[in-house]
Amino acid sequence: MTILVIAEHDNKVLAPATLNTVAAAVKIGGDIHVLVAGQGAGAVAEAAAKIAGVAKVLVADNAAYAHQLPENVAPLVAELGKGYSHILAAATSNGKNILPRVAAVLDVDQISEIISVESADTFKRPIYAGNAIATVQSNAAVKVITVRATGFDPVAAEGGSASVEAVGAAHDAGISSFVGEELAKSDRPELTAAKIVVSGGRGMQNGDNFKHLYALADKLGAAVGASRAAVDAGFVPNDMQVGQTGKIVAPQLYIAVGISGAIQHLAGMKDSKVIVAINKDEEAPIFQVADYGLVADLFEAIPEMAALA
Ligand SMILES: Cc1cc2nc3c(=O)[nH]c(=O)nc-3n(C[C@H](O)[C@H](O)[C@H](O)COP(=O)(O)OP(=O)(O)OC[C@H]3O[C@@H](n4cnc5c(N)ncnc54)[C@H](O)[C@@H]3O)c2cc1C
């Protein structure tokens, strides 16, 4: 068995989710190859070659892959992937953009967002917004799988010494082109990689009040997230949304502030190691999943916590 892992990167830095995806590949067993598709991504290939457990790094360096447009990367992965038993990518926006196309080209079912590996052909994945866990067995010749990063502890970033091989194939489907991107810049940790997340909900009342959460987060070295209600109300941008239709996080500590605890929100954070809820309504469902609950007005509690932190 040989497993192909698609590296998640921005041509400069290998994203941590790749390490969780390799961890899933290690559980499946067999040789692990990592594909770096990009342009000028030499540093990423070097980092991938150092990942513990990786045997080979394939580098497809071409202008067609510069922005990892799925229309161009998917045919490359499908072509290379035919020779593999499994193709894995992190269940990020990028992975979720590329792998379904690969599965379609290979005419196999995709197995989405696995959270555990039972054997080489059997996996567990959440369904119904995480309210049930399905065990899925696949007899596809090539198993195309997205991996929920929070389900697997990352492998070591250092310690491997994989060979690096260039891949010549250039697929430019010519049906899409990169126009531009607007990336949110923040000195705080990235939401899905942060050890501590402080999230605000509708109870924050407006975007300006998020300054109380930013002050606390900066003291704790935390990332700031939000409920969908807070995003839909325009308090904060949608890349901060945690939940079923937002980001999935599983930090050491999740502090939910003015969030009621709808199942769609819980789907994105209930695997956090310790959950703290602050809500003025003692009946709020968030208290059912919280390890520590504080029934209080957030506008008093948060500044007090920030002063103590
Ligand atoms: C298909 C679908 C997908 C969805 N995806 C997501 C998702 O990804 N993420 C997500 O979050 N939601 C999602 N939702 C929405 C979800 O159902 C809820 O509507 C949403 O999570 C509610 O957000 P909230 O808890 O901030 O708001 P509310 O439910 O309105 O809760 C606000 C809470 O703040 C408390 N509060 C108010 N003032 C204060 C104060 N001063 N001090 C302390 N507490 C206070 C209140 O007691 C209340 O509990 C989805 C819904 C659907 C249908």
Side-chain angles (χ1 to χ4, degrees):
M1 272 191 325
T2 314
I3 302 162
L4 182 64
V5 171
I6 315 303
E8 177 88 17
H9 67 92
D10 61 0
N11 287 322
K12 295 185 195 95
V13 179
L14 185 73
T18 311
L19 302 178
N20 305 82
T21 312
V22 171
V26 169
K27 292 232 160 105
I28 293 170
D31 278 353
I32 300 171
H33 297 179
V34 172
L35 171 66
V36 177
Q39 188 181 31
V44 177
E46 267 176 41
K50 287 187 195 148
I51 301 175
V54 173
K56 192 195 279 186
V57 175
L58 303 172
V59 186
D61 198 301
N62 193 285
Y65 309 132
H67 301 287
Q68 295 175 57
L69 296 177
E71 293 82 359
N72 297 350
V73 176
L76 168 75
V77 175
E79 183 184 297
L80 295 172
K82 278 186 199 133
Y84 287 86
S85 56
H86 302 72
I87 304 173
L88 269 58
T92 54
S93 304
N94 214 27
K96 291 195 271 193
N97 219 348
I98 294 169
L99 279 212
R101 297 164 196 266
V102 173
V105 173
L106 296 178
D107 198 19
V108 295
D109 302 317
Q110 176 178 284
I111 306 157
S112 299
E113 301 220 19
I114 64 163
I115 54 167
S116 89
V117 173
E118 303 300 298
S119 70
D121 67 359
T122 308
F123 311 91
K124 289 202 162 150
R125 59 177 297 261
I127 54 173
Y128 301 119
N131 284 314
I133 305 296
T135 304
V136 180
Q137 187 170 34
S138 165
N139 59 7
V142 184
K143 293 167 189 48
V144 176
I145 300 170
T146 57
V147 175
R148 187 174 281 191
T150 54
F152 297 88
D153 290 332
V155 295
E158 304 271 338
S161 57
S163 59
V164 179
E165 201 175 280
V167 175
H171 294 271
D172 188 350
I175 54 173
S176 63
S177 59
F178 179 80
V179 176
E181 64 188 353
E182 283 174 36
L183 295 176
K185 287 210 172 68
S186 166
D187 292 336
R188 294 187 190 92
E190 205 273 313
L191 199 49
T192 56
K195 292 199 165 54
I196 304 177
V197 174
V198 181
S199 281
R202 201 188 325 252
M204 299 304 299
Q205 292 178 0
N206 58 47
D208 190 43
N209 284 337
F210 266 73
K211 66 181 180 227
H212 299 297
L213 297 191
Y214 296 133
L216 177 62
D218 288 344
K219 290 253 175 111
L220 298 174
V224 178
S227 71
R228 176 158 157 182
V231 169
D232 286 353
F235 299 172
V236 290
N238 70 355
D239 64 350
M240 286 171 63
Q241 184 177 320
V242 172
Q244 184 188 338
T245 43
K247 291 185 174 154
I248 310 283
V249 301
Q252 298 295 324
L253 173 62
Y254 188 89
I255 306 177
V257 183
I259 292 178
S260 60
I263 54 165
Q264 296 90 352
H265 187 79
L266 302 185
M269 45 61 77
K270 69 176 161 43
D271 290 334
S272 305
K273 304 291 175 289
V274 175
I275 297 172
V276 173
I278 301 169
N279 198 304
K280 66 179 183 184
D281 173 11
E282 64 181 50
E283 303 289 329
I286 190 76
F287 288 126
Q288 286 165 20
V289 296
D291 299 287
Y292 299 93
L294 178 63
V295 180
D297 186 323
L298 70 90
F299 295 106
E300 287 169 20
I302 295 300
E304 279 175 20
M305 282 171 74
L308 289 173

